[in-house]
Amino acid sequence: MPTGSIGTTLKDLRKERKMTLKELADETGVSISFLSQVERGKSSVTLESLRKISDALKVDTSAFFTDGDAEQDDLADRLERFYYKDLSNGVKEAGFSPILVTLHPGDNKGNAFAHNGYEFIFVVEGVLTVEVDGQRFELTEQQSTLFDARKTHYWFNMTERDVRFLVVSSKTN
């Protein structure tokens, strides 16, 4: 795994803060085994998980990016197409996490992921393609869906204009 990769950076930041994998897992709601796989370069991290990890480690998400690393460049490019606005007002104790996402045109690549809890999606503007458990469907403005987030899921923008949507994820199931 290249020096400066997300996994290496994650491990360095975690150790610098004297956190165990269990402590980081407890704070993020991400499993110990998943965190270990990310640190060893055996699994890629989703944008949502990276945000949770960044919050727990008290660093900006950009701390995981370095110049010259293809994995970093690809994720940095994905982050440019995804714009997240945390709507929690800094409240970490709530049982849910509200995020406003802007997905730019053509962002139709990515890997489905799963996590504990439930996920609610409400489309503010545009057309969002959602995949849950291998089944795709479209949500248009003012439409919503709620699903068990333990099912693999992902969202895509297959259109030529931005899509803005609210994602509310429960932190536990």
Side-chain angles (χ1 to χ4, degrees):
M1 186 164 181
T3 303
S5 70
I6 289 173
T8 302
T9 303
L10 169 59
K11 186 173 185 176
D12 291 346
L13 287 169
R14 181 179 60 78
K15 289 190 176 273
E16 188 177 289
R17 284 153 181 75
K18 297 179 176 31
M19 288 182 85
T20 65
L21 282 171
K22 181 178 181 351
E23 290 169 333
L24 185 57
D26 289 346
E27 196 159 331
T28 60
V30 177
S31 74
I32 295 170
S33 61
F34 175 74
L35 289 170
S36 175
Q37 288 176 352
V38 170
E39 284 188 357
R40 292 179 289 124
K42 303 294 183 192
S43 184
S44 59
V45 65
T46 66
L47 298 174
E48 183 174 337
S49 295
L50 189 60
R51 182 191 57 79
K52 290 177 183 179
I53 291 166
S54 297
D55 288 348
L57 294 173
K58 296 177 179 40
V59 296
D60 189 86
T61 308
S62 63
F64 291 95
F65 308 122
T66 60
D67 294 327
D69 185 331
E71 176 187 359
Q72 305 292 347
D73 292 343
D74 178 58
L75 190 54
D77 181 51
R78 286 177 62 197
L79 279 174
E80 285 177 15
R81 290 179 289 170
F82 274 84
Y83 173 74
Y84 283 88
K85 181 177 181 185
D86 184 348
L87 302 177
S88 68
N89 288 322
V91 177
K92 302 219 185 264
E93 300 80 25
F96 59 92
S97 175
I99 301 169
L100 181 64
V101 180
T102 301
L103 194 57
H104 298 300
D107 196 351
N108 55 18
K109 296 178 184 148
N111 297 315
F113 59 97
H115 53 87
N116 287 333
Y118 289 87
E119 197 156 290
F120 171 78
I121 297 174
F122 177 84
V123 177
V124 177
E125 72 179 58
V127 178
L128 180 68
T129 301
V130 180
E131 182 175 306
V132 179
D133 232 9
Q135 300 209 359
R136 284 191 181 184
F137 55 94
E138 286 187 350
L139 295 175
T140 59
E141 291 180 20
Q142 308 297 307
Q143 289 186 323
S144 64
T145 187
L146 174 69
F147 55 89
D148 184 336
R150 292 175 298 181
K151 295 179 180 180
T152 57
H153 58 281
Y154 205 74
W155 50 72
F156 308 91
N157 182 352
M158 309 292 249
T159 71
E160 296 300 317
R161 62 179 262 219
D162 283 356
V163 177
R164 287 186 36 202
F165 56 101
L166 175 67
V167 176
V168 181
S169 299
S170 65
K171 293 184 180 177
T172 58
N173 207 6

